[in-house]
């Protein structure tokens, strides 16, 4: 299928070409015709599938006709970074149109947002809190909204935004098209979608299971050895852009500092940073100024940086959903990537949960030539295996994880499978090293 098959306006096709999309991704193939036809859509899709353009293109097509300078499209997203990314996609794809978009989120001055609203925009991409502020102060008229998009609804729910969403809904016309995207469907999200969607078409892409272009491995380790393990990894392997996740803001800050001290071009992205510093980190990572970004989960939402070769979970995430989102940062738009997770003894139950969702055991690796001291990764694996077998027996007939497996099982369509490879390092395509140290 081609973008031309959607019969979009020539100016949109030209923009698609200018941004370099050649063929539609599966979610675009499925969603674009539905949205063009005016249907409500329930999109079960994770980040990295091309879902932003899947709704942005048909929305822009709609906006070509009809009034200008009225808010006709409202997109609600959980984080500033995601709002910026969506706004950017609208701007890039709408580059040949008169239509304009403005992002609205907290942590920055209201003044430019007010100025944009007064000038008149057709698309508002907003985080719930600041949008409600503007609504409360009468700065924004939502009575002309024709299309509402709720993006990453599950994340908004996790972040406690559900009451805000309901408040926002009260200010929108009930006659509208609604597009609802979520990577997972917990009960309250399912209820919300049932309430606000009218006879929706469901589009499901890679529900829950992470992108197949990503290969996964875990490294048993202790908390104390993590810093050294990371440094050892970075030294040994050819990688491109590396995204490292930590559990807390403080750890993100300290780890980015440690990496900088070791001579790596690295930066942090965490919630205590001012918005302009966060944006500078993302921009620097995207532009190649930084090879390594150390981030927390919330801050990382919506980082639109393609070509991340490795996601390293320095700390395992708290939920399987967060794991899916983190590793959705690599292997984006059909490129392959590696996801490595440092796992301490306490993390083993979460490993089992992740394996259940992936439907296969995570390969366990030991970093070659790394001094583990007294710690024996294989011992942690053996204990985990024993515990897992016990719980599998208790579950009766449950899948028995295959630990200590050095051969990665082939993935459907997964170019990233490199069975039998001895070292942990990435594929030959990754020639650039983040170890490109600053001079000196
Ligand atoms: P998203 O899932 O919307 O966050 O998109 C993930 C990444 O894929 C973004 O960097 C998009 O620019 C990129 N992308 C979206 N659609 C396509 C396409 N048809 N071909 C290539 N890249 C795409």
């Amino acid at each position: 299928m081609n973008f031309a098959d959607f019969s979009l306006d020539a100016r949109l096709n030209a923009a698609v070409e200018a941004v370099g999309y050649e063929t539609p991704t599966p979610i675009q193939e499925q969603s674009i015709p539905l949205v063009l036809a005016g249907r409500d859509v329930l999109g079960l899709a994770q980040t990295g599938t091309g879902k932003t353009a899947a709704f942005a293109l048909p929305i822009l097509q709609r906006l070509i006709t009809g009034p200008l300078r009225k808010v006709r499209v409202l997109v609600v997203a959980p984080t500033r970074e995601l709002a910026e990314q969506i706004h950017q996609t609208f701007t890039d794809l709408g580059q040949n149109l008169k239509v304009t978009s403005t992002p609205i989120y907290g942590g920055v001055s209201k003044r430019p947002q007010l100025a944009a609203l007064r000038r008149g925009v057709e698309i508002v991409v907003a985080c719930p809190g600041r949008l409600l502020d503007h609504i409360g102060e009468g700065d924004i008229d939502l009575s002309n909204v024709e299309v509402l998009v709720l993006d990453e609804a599950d994340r908004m729910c996790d972040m406690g935004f559900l009451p805000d969403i309901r408040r926002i809904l009260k200010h929108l016309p009930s006659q509208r098209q609604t597009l609802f995207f979520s990577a997972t469907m917990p009960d309250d999200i399912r209820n919300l979608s049932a309430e606000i969607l009218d006879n929706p078409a469901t589009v499901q892409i890679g529900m829950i299971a992470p992108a197949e272009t990503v290969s996964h491995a875990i490294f048993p380790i202790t908390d104390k050895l993590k810093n050294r393990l990371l440094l050892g990894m970075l030294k040994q392997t050819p990688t491109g852009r590396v995204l490292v996740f930590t559990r807390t803001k403080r750890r993100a800050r300290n780890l980015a500092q440690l990496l900088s001290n070791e001579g790596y071009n690295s930066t942090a992205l965490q919630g205590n940073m001012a918005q302009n510093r966060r944006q500078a980190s993302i921009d620097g990572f995207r532009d190649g100024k930084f090879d390594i970004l150390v981030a927390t989960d919330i801050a990382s939402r919506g980082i639109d940086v393609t070509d991340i070769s490795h996601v390293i979970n320095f700390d395992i995430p708290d939920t399987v959903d967060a794991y899916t989102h983190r590793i959705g940062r690599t292997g984006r738009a059909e490129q392959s990537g590696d996801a490595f997770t440092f796992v301490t003894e306490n993390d083993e139950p979460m490993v089992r949960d992740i394996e259940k969702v992936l439907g296969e055991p995570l390969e366990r690796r030991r970093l070659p030539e790394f001094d583990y001291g007294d710690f024996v990764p294989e011992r942690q694996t053996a204990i985990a295996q024993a515990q897992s077998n016990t719980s599998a027996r208790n579950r009766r007939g449950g899948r028995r994880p295959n630990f200590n497996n050095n051969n990665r099982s082939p993935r459907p369509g997964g170019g990233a499978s490199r069975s039998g490879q001895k070292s942990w390092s990435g594929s030959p395509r990754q020639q650039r090293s983040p170890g490109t140290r600053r001079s000196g």
Side-chain angles (χ1 to χ4, degrees), residues 211-268:
E212 283 173 356
T213 45
V214 179
S215 60
H216 311 252
I218 59 178
F219 288 79
I221 195 70
T222 62
D223 219 24
K224 275 206 176 119
L225 288 174
K226 279 183 175 180
N227 281 354
R228 275 212 299 116
L229 182 68
L230 180 65
L231 292 173
M233 264 185 183
L234 293 172
K235 210 165 163 189
Q236 282 188 22
T237 194
T239 54
R241 290 196 186 90
V242 179
L243 182 52
V244 180
F245 282 100
T246 63
R247 190 170 289 139
T248 64
K249 300 173 201 170
R250 199 161 135 231
R251 276 162 88 92
R253 192 188 62 211
N254 292 347
L255 193 55
Q257 190 59 54
L258 171 79
L259 292 171
S260 296
N261 293 346
E262 290 290 323
Y264 291 101
N265 295 317
S266 68
T267 185

Side-chain angles (χ1 to χ4, degrees), residues 2-13:
N2 274 311
F3 278 100
D5 298 331
F6 298 126
S7 304
L8 294 167
D9 188 277
R11 288 165 289 179
L12 285 173
N13 284 333

Side-chain angles (χ1 to χ4, degrees), residues 3 16 19-28 45-55 57 82 85-86 89 92 151-152 302-307 328-329 332-335:
F3 278 100
V16 164
V19 297
Y21 301 167
E22 283 170 11
T23 45
T25 64
I27 194 168
Q28 290 163 1
Q46 55 191 310
T47 50
T49 51
K51 71 179 155 68
T52 316
F55 63 77
L57 280 170
L82 185 60
Q85 177 199 326
I86 297 168
T89 302
D92 291 344
D151 200 12
E152 301 203 346
I303 299 175
D304 182 31
V305 180
T306 49
D307 207 10
R329 308 278 137 214
R332 298 195 107 188
E334 325 222 327
Q335 292 172 6

Side-chain angles (χ1 to χ4, degrees), residues 87-308:
H87 159 69
Q88 198 54 52
T89 302
F90 273 114
T91 307
D92 291 344
L93 294 174
Q95 58 183 274
N96 303 319
L97 306 178
K98 289 206 179 95
V99 170
T100 50
S101 149
T102 193
I104 286 194
Y105 47 74
V108 294
S109 162
K110 275 188 189 159
R111 223 172 289 151
Q113 300 174 359
L114 262 176
L117 291 171
R118 289 202 182 122
R119 271 196 309 274
V121 290
E122 294 75 34
I123 305 163
V124 166
V125 186
C127 294
R130 177 59 65 90
L131 177 62
L132 280 170
D133 285 354
H134 283 294
I135 292 174
E137 284 158 27
D139 303 334
I140 185 166
D141 175 10
L142 296 175
S143 65
N144 296 296
V145 168
E146 298 164 30
V147 186
L148 167 70
V149 182
L150 291 181
D151 200 12
E152 301 203 346
D154 50 351
R155 181 61 43 167
M156 290 203 270
C157 178
D158 287 352
M159 292 169 72
F161 284 143
L162 226 47
D164 285 354
I165 304 277
R166 290 188 185 282
R167 248 172 262 145
I168 292 166
L169 286 168
K170 291 198 185 115
H171 295 271
L172 301 176
S174 53
Q175 274 294 335
R176 57 161 200 264
Q177 184 178 21
T178 305
L179 313 175
F180 190 107
F181 292 91
S182 195
T184 56
M185 277 305 243
D187 284 348
D188 30 11
I189 288 300
R190 192 173 296 282
N191 294 342
L192 179 69
S193 71
E195 266 172 58
I196 67 173
L197 292 169
D198 179 18
N199 185 27
T202 301
V203 172
Q204 183 163 347
I205 305 290
M207 171 69 168
I208 301 181
E212 283 173 356
T213 45
V214 179
S215 60
H216 311 252
I218 59 178
F219 288 79
I221 195 70
T222 62
D223 219 24
K224 275 206 176 119
L225 288 174
K226 279 183 175 180
N227 281 354
R228 275 212 299 116
L229 182 68
L230 180 65
L231 292 173
M233 264 185 183
L234 293 172
K235 210 165 163 189
Q236 282 188 22
T237 194
T239 54
R241 290 196 186 90
V242 179
L243 182 52
V244 180
F245 282 100
T246 63
R247 190 170 289 139
T248 64
K249 300 173 201 170
R250 199 161 135 231
R251 276 162 88 92
R253 192 188 62 211
N254 292 347
L255 193 55
Q257 190 59 54
L258 171 79
L259 292 171
S260 296
N261 293 346
E262 290 290 323
Y264 291 101
N265 295 317
S266 68
T267 185
L269 180 69
Q270 40 90 3
N272 283 347
M273 291 161 60
Q275 180 58 22
N276 59 351
R277 286 193 48 224
R278 288 203 212 185
Q279 199 60 48
S281 286
I282 295 178
D283 292 346
F285 189 49
R286 185 187 296 113
D287 302 343
K289 182 174 167 202
F290 302 116
D291 298 308
I292 307 174
L293 181 69
V294 187
T296 56
D297 283 304
I298 291 195
S300 79
R301 299 291 296 192
I303 299 175
D304 182 31
V305 180
T306 49
D307 207 10
I308 290 175

